[in-house]
Amino acid sequence: MTSNNQRAALQNQIWKIANDVRGAVDGWDFKQFVLGTLFYRFISENFTNYIEGDDEDVNYPNLPDTVITPEIKDDAIKTKGYFIYPSHLFVNVAKNANTNPDLNTDLKAIFTAIESSANGYPSEEAIKGLFADFDTTSTRLGNTVENKNGRLAAVLKGVEGLNFGNFEDNQIDLFGDAYEFLISNYAKNAGKSGGEFFTPQHVSKLIAQLALHGQKTINKIYDPAAGSGSLLLQAKKHFDSHIIEEGFFGQEINHTTYNLARMNMFLHNVNYDKFHIALGNTLIHPQLRDEKPFDAIVSNPPYSVNWIGDDDPTLINDDRFAPAGVLAPKSKADFAFVLHALKHLSGKGRAALVCFPGIFYRGRAEQKIRKYLVDSNYVETVISLAPNLFYGTTISVNILVLSKHKTDTKIQFIDASGEGFFKKETNNNVLTDAHIERIMELFDSKAAIAHVATSIDNTKIAENDYNLSVAAYVEAKDNREVIDIAKLNKEVAATVRKIDGLRADIDNIIKEIEA
């Protein structure tokens, strides 16, 4: 099945479950029950596969809980990071969901047991609170136990019927795609933005390739605005797992999205000891600042959000912002994220960041930060993408590529916003693999191509007030019709002669009539 067909089938099935089941519950609130149930099924199947170990004689879901010894449980938690008893598996709970009068409290106990199984183990931080947003006793599910159980059973049975095949063989990020799809649809239908922004898989692929380009191995990869973890996971998909030696790191401010990012790691077989997703405000309370610098950084930080800025005068002494000598504007935190990423970038690494176009040409504090970046020779490339690639916005965003190991003092500008760099689909434009390959070829070669790509020396950038807009250096192709003036004049002259001849003929006819 093609990725597009997989995506369409997945979205149709999940949206049907969500609409059929939620009833009077606000879709925005109900999304967590659908996503939580998806995760519960995936994590159960993943754990079952681990226990059975391809041994056809072992049927873990059919085993009684009593056969589980402390040694078996201890080994499993040390390896997987958590433990699920046979009776707690999704397949067994879903099987009796319609007839279980204690379904909501049983689920609550199961989720608590899964989380608490990691207590005292190295995986505790990675597991704690994973099901926090799946409140099975919430009044949002209904005012009576019967109503709650009915709705929970319907979700369980709906997810039970989804046919995912072999999860690892699927060509799309099933969980991330389901999450992205549900959030965007719930937000649209409820008239809410959700305060969250999601990076489409095709754009994530380009960003990951830019950050990892030319590196045979990297120590670890980092996203300071991790969202649901899709950007980090694109790096895993694009490269063999051994290339990323120490794993995947990120920080996310939204508690629900933070939980989903951790879920996403488990769902893609990134073990607890290979990821560290932290909760909190990256700009004000960075949780990973003691980590050694990262060889690859990818991010799609929120566009032009408010932050405390110079209302906190101590921030100008922060080692992330101090070198620029100025803080990003309070109403536009974009460059605060850029400087944060730069601080955490290793000497051999690259950062590829999605940026709002305005930061590349506006004045005052943002111009001063651009001056610091250019004069320090940290800007490798600025890429202008096609409009309407992202959910929730139609603007043409840019990708800023930072590097601390440039071998020249030039900045590359690529205009990938025009025809030949995207495919138009029903609701959004998309980047195909061919488009991504074309952009990567330009990025790698640094070749100058009229109307598409050029490289400008930092001194010229400085003379242009440190403007880093692609349009300032890549001349747009003039698609207006070219008119040959000399040819046109000849045609006009011939037409005039014909008109003069006709007039003479008319005059002669009139004279003959009057004679």
Side-chain angles (χ1 to χ4, degrees):
M1 183 183 289
T2 67
S3 59
N4 284 338
N5 288 340
Q6 282 181 308
R7 180 174 288 109
L10 172 71
Q11 292 176 350
N12 287 337
Q13 289 173 298
I14 291 178
W15 193 239
K16 187 176 188 305
I17 295 170
N19 279 328
D20 287 352
V21 176
R22 70 181 177 88
V25 184
D26 186 339
W28 191 254
D29 295 326
F30 194 69
K31 68 183 185 298
Q32 305 310 333
F33 299 106
V34 179
L35 292 167
T37 304
L38 282 169
F39 177 66
Y40 176 36
R41 174 182 162 178
F42 286 143
I43 201 172
S44 293
E45 292 178 358
N46 185 283
F47 190 79
T48 297
N49 290 339
Y50 162 73
I51 292 292
E52 293 180 347
D54 294 325
D55 187 341
E56 294 181 359
D57 294 329
V58 179
N59 190 327
Y60 186 64
N62 287 345
L63 294 177
D65 291 354
T66 53
V67 305
I68 304 301
T69 65
E71 291 77 19
I72 291 174
K73 186 175 180 180
D74 182 66
D75 286 344
I77 298 171
K78 287 177 179 176
T79 303
K80 297 299 293 180
Y82 59 91
F83 190 85
I84 307 178
Y85 282 98
S87 65
H88 290 178
L89 293 169
F90 173 87
V91 64
N92 287 328
V93 175
K95 180 169 54 180
N96 302 314
N98 287 330
T99 57
N100 183 358
D102 302 314
L103 179 62
N104 69 323
T105 52
D106 283 352
L107 279 172
K108 182 177 178 62
I110 288 170
F111 295 158
T112 299
I114 294 172
E115 290 183 11
S116 62
S117 69
N119 290 350
Y121 287 85
S123 59
E124 180 176 353
E125 195 63 31
I127 302 295
K128 184 190 301 180
L130 273 176
F131 291 97
D133 293 297
F134 197 140
D135 184 1
T136 64
T137 61
S138 170
T139 55
R140 291 179 297 177
L141 289 169
N143 293 322
T144 67
V145 171
E146 185 179 4
N147 287 340
K148 291 181 177 69
N149 286 343
R151 193 155 278 133
L152 286 169
V155 177
L156 285 165
K157 300 303 286 187
V159 171
E160 180 187 40
L162 295 176
N163 180 17
F164 292 107
N166 186 326
F167 179 71
E168 287 300 313
D169 288 343
N170 282 297
Q171 297 180 45
I172 58 173
D173 174 359
L174 287 172
F175 181 75
D177 200 71
Y179 178 55
E180 189 174 84
F181 170 76
L182 280 171
I183 291 290
S184 61
N185 274 274
Y186 279 138
K188 178 177 64 179
N189 291 344
K192 301 176 182 180
S193 68
E196 298 160 315
F197 202 84
F198 303 95
T199 312
Q201 296 296 309
H202 50 98
V203 183
S204 296
K205 185 183 294 187
L206 171 62
I207 295 168
Q209 290 191 32
L210 287 166
L212 290 143
H213 180 70
Q215 302 195 68
K216 293 183 178 179
T217 60
I218 65 166
N219 60 354
K220 49 192 175 176
I221 187 166
Y222 172 52
D223 185 345
S228 61
S230 63
L231 269 171
L232 292 172
L233 289 166
Q234 271 299 329
K236 180 180 185 294
K237 291 179 179 182
H238 186 66
F239 293 90
D240 293 334
S241 57
H242 69 268
I243 196 175
I244 303 172
E245 296 167 345
E246 298 175 39
F248 305 81
F249 294 73
Q251 184 165 340
E252 172 56 34
I253 191 171
N254 181 286
H255 192 277
T256 296
T257 318
Y258 155 72
N259 284 337
L260 288 160
R262 293 187 296 156
M263 289 181 183
N264 223 353
M265 293 294 152
F266 281 110
L267 294 172
H268 287 83
N269 283 327
V270 179
N271 214 24
Y272 71 89
D273 57 346
K274 287 296 185 181
F275 76 84
H276 183 184
I277 307 295
L279 176 65
N281 187 321
T282 299
L283 300 181
I284 308 303
H285 302 294
Q287 301 295 304
L288 303 176
R289 67 187 315 158
D290 293 333
E291 291 283 340
K292 64 183 181 182
F294 298 87
D295 290 344
I297 297 177
V298 293
S299 195
N300 178 15
Y303 301 158
S304 301
V305 295
N306 295 328
W307 76 306
I308 193 169
D310 57 16
D311 279 350
D312 180 356
T314 65
L315 280 174
I316 195 61
N317 299 317
D318 190 299
D319 57 4
R320 297 171 295 167
F321 312 126
V326 65
L327 296 172
K330 288 184 291 186
S331 62
K332 302 175 183 66
D334 309 69
F335 266 130
F337 283 102
V338 170
L339 292 173
H340 173 92
L342 181 66
K343 174 61 182 176
H344 288 77
L345 187 63
S346 75
K348 62 165 281 195
R350 277 196 181 91
L353 315 170
V354 179
C355 296
F356 184 79
I359 71 169
F360 293 105
Y361 59 80
R362 291 191 296 240
R364 306 181 70 174
E366 291 178 314
Q367 183 187 39
K368 292 178 181 177
I369 295 172
R370 293 197 305 273
K371 180 180 187 302
Y372 162 68
L373 294 174
V374 173
D375 289 350
S376 301
N377 202 31
Y378 290 140
V379 182
E380 180 174 3
T381 302
V382 182
I383 304 170
S384 175
L385 295 180
N388 205 28
L389 288 173
F390 291 82
Y391 294 99
T393 180
T394 60
I395 64 170
S396 175
V397 301
N398 290 178
I399 297 179
L400 173 65
V401 182
L402 301 174
S403 170
K404 291 183 177 179
H405 60 273
K406 290 174 62 181
T407 57
D408 59 28
T409 58
K410 293 183 176 182
I411 297 175
Q412 181 190 36
F413 296 90
I414 300 175
D415 184 356
S417 64
E419 188 176 337
F421 284 100
F422 67 93
K423 177 184 176 184
K424 193 169 187 61
E425 292 197 345
T426 305
N427 297 319
N428 286 84
N429 294 326
V430 298
L431 300 175
T432 66
D433 287 345
H435 298 136
I436 294 171
E437 184 178 347
R438 185 180 178 194
I439 293 171
M440 290 306 302
E441 286 175 355
L442 290 168
F443 176 72
D444 178 61
S445 69
K446 298 296 189 286
I449 300 176
H451 312 301
V452 175
T454 189
S455 294
I456 305 295
D457 195 87
N458 290 345
T459 56
K460 298 295 183 182
I461 306 293
E463 291 171 7
N464 197 22
D465 295 327
Y466 294 96
N467 187 332
L468 290 177
S469 295
V470 173
Y473 306 100
V474 179
E475 183 181 1
K477 189 174 182 179
D478 189 347
N479 292 316
R480 293 175 299 179
E481 183 182 356
V482 177
I483 298 175
D484 186 332
I485 298 299
K487 181 180 178 182
L488 180 61
N489 285 338
K490 289 180 180 178
E491 291 174 351
V492 169
T495 302
V496 169
R497 286 194 298 271
K498 288 180 181 178
I499 292 173
D500 288 344
L502 288 171
R503 284 176 176 167
D505 291 341
I506 292 171
D507 288 343
N508 291 331
I509 292 171
I510 292 174
K511 288 178 181 178
E512 291 177 1
I513 292 172
E514 291 178 344

